[in-house]
């Protein structure tokens, strides 16, 4: 409510209208300039986790009404924990409610976008996947603003250990780490799951 009132300076109804107008602008521009290009559409309701979930559903249903998704015209609805402020189970509950109440669910890719302010982005993402989400946005080794986005390496490896193939080639973790460190100029922490220098080191005598 504070963000909507201070930053957007809009009512809930005006937010819904803005999302619908923005979608129409994209469609109109694409029809004018990209006539021979097949393109998809992603809408992300800013600060999803701090928005009343029913309001977020109404905004996204409004976007769906404009986009008119079908089997050949999928839409991605990306639901960010813009600042992680609650426990992972709360995020999962919000995702489950959203998935059960969004229109045209079979043509909607529900996407997760967790941040790591409380240090639980991986757990929140895993629970939200179990709650019905289809897709994950994040960064390798959790890079990203503030405390970082969800760590895609850890999420993918955790899925793999549970018998779910993330369809990513993580067979040369050392090389992935070297490339990320080179490109970002930031070292991967020694205790980073699956990839840190101390992953295979025990100090307890075991």
């Amino acid at each position: 409510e504070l963000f909507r009132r201070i930053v957007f300076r809009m009512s809930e109804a005006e937010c819904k209208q803005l999302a619908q107008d923005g979608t129409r602008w994209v469609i109109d521009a694409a029809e004018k300039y990209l006539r021979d290009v097949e393109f998809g559409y992603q809408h992300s309701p800013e600060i999803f986790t701090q928005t009343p979930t029913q309001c977020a559903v109404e905004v996204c249903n409004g976007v769906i009404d404009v986009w008119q998704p079908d089997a050949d015209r999928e839409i991605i609805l990306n639901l960010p924990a813009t600042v992680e402020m609650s426990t992972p189970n709360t995020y999962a509950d919000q995702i489950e409610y959203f998935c059960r109440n969004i229109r045209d669910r079979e043509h909607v890719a529900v996407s997760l976008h967790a941040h790591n302010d409380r240090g639980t982005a991986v757990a929140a993402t895993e629970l939200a996947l179990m709650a019905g989400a289809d897709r994950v946005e994040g960064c390798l080794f959790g890079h990203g603003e503030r405390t970082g986005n969800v760590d895609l390496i850890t999420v993918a490896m955790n899925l793999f250990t549970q018998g779910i193939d993330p369809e990513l080639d993580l067979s040369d973790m050392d090389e992935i780490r070297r490339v990320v460190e080179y490109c970002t100029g930031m070292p991967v922490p020694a205790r980073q799951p699956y990839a840190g220098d101390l992953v295979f080191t025990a100090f307890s005598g075991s």
Side-chain angles (χ1 to χ4, degrees):
E1 188 277 335
L2 183 67
F3 184 94
R4 178 174 54 76
R5 179 164 48 85
I6 300 299
V7 179
F8 279 3
R9 299 180 185 179
M10 292 180 177
S11 66
E12 289 184 3
E14 288 173 321
C15 287
K16 180 177 177 179
Q17 187 63 54
L18 179 63
Q20 290 179 301
D21 290 344
T23 304
R24 286 192 190 93
W25 297 332
V26 169
I27 293 171
D28 291 346
E31 288 176 350
K32 182 176 181 180
Y33 300 110
L34 302 173
R35 292 178 188 160
D36 299 322
V37 177
E38 184 178 337
F39 70 98
Y41 187 64
Q42 173 173 312
H43 174 74
S44 184
E46 190 163 7
I47 311 184
F48 166 75
T49 49
Q50 280 80 261
T51 300
T53 310
Q54 180 56 41
C55 175
V57 168
E58 290 174 7
V59 168
C60 290
N61 276 335
V63 169
I64 287 171
D65 288 342
V66 175
W67 181 254
Q68 295 290 307
D70 59 32
D72 298 315
R73 188 178 169 85
E74 187 182 64
I75 187 172
I76 298 169
L77 296 176
N78 181 53
L79 309 177
T82 305
V83 176
E84 187 180 43
M85 296 177 67
S86 60
T87 55
N89 60 300
T90 300
Y91 184 47
D93 286 346
Q94 291 172 300
I95 298 300
E96 183 176 16
Y97 181 90
F98 186 90
C99 289
R100 289 183 176 185
N101 290 279
I102 200 71
R103 288 193 203 117
D104 299 318
R105 179 65 181 95
E106 68 274 20
H107 305 310
V108 173
V110 174
S111 178
L112 307 172
H113 185 113
H115 283 258
N116 201 39
D117 301 272
R118 300 179 78 250
T120 59
V122 169
T125 298
E126 290 189 64
L127 287 176
L129 285 170
M130 288 190 281
D134 306 299
R135 179 179 181 268
V136 176
E137 290 186 358
C139 297
L140 300 178
F141 301 117
H143 287 302
E145 61 188 16
R146 299 186 317 280
T147 54
N149 295 72
V150 68
D151 174 14
L152 292 177
I153 298 285
T154 301
V155 170
M157 291 297 289
N158 285 359
L159 289 172
F160 190 75
T161 65
Q162 299 303 306
I164 301 168
D165 185 358
E167 299 183 18
L168 299 172
D169 182 2
L170 303 174
S171 58
D172 192 347
M173 191 67 73
D174 289 340
E175 178 62 15
I176 294 170
R177 175 183 156 179
R178 279 192 293 272
V179 170
V180 170
E181 289 181 330
Y182 174 80
C183 290
T184 65
M186 298 172 65
V188 171
R191 297 188 187 280
Q192 183 77 19
Y194 299 106
D197 280 339
L198 299 180
V199 166
F200 302 107
T201 303
F203 297 102
S204 64
S206 60

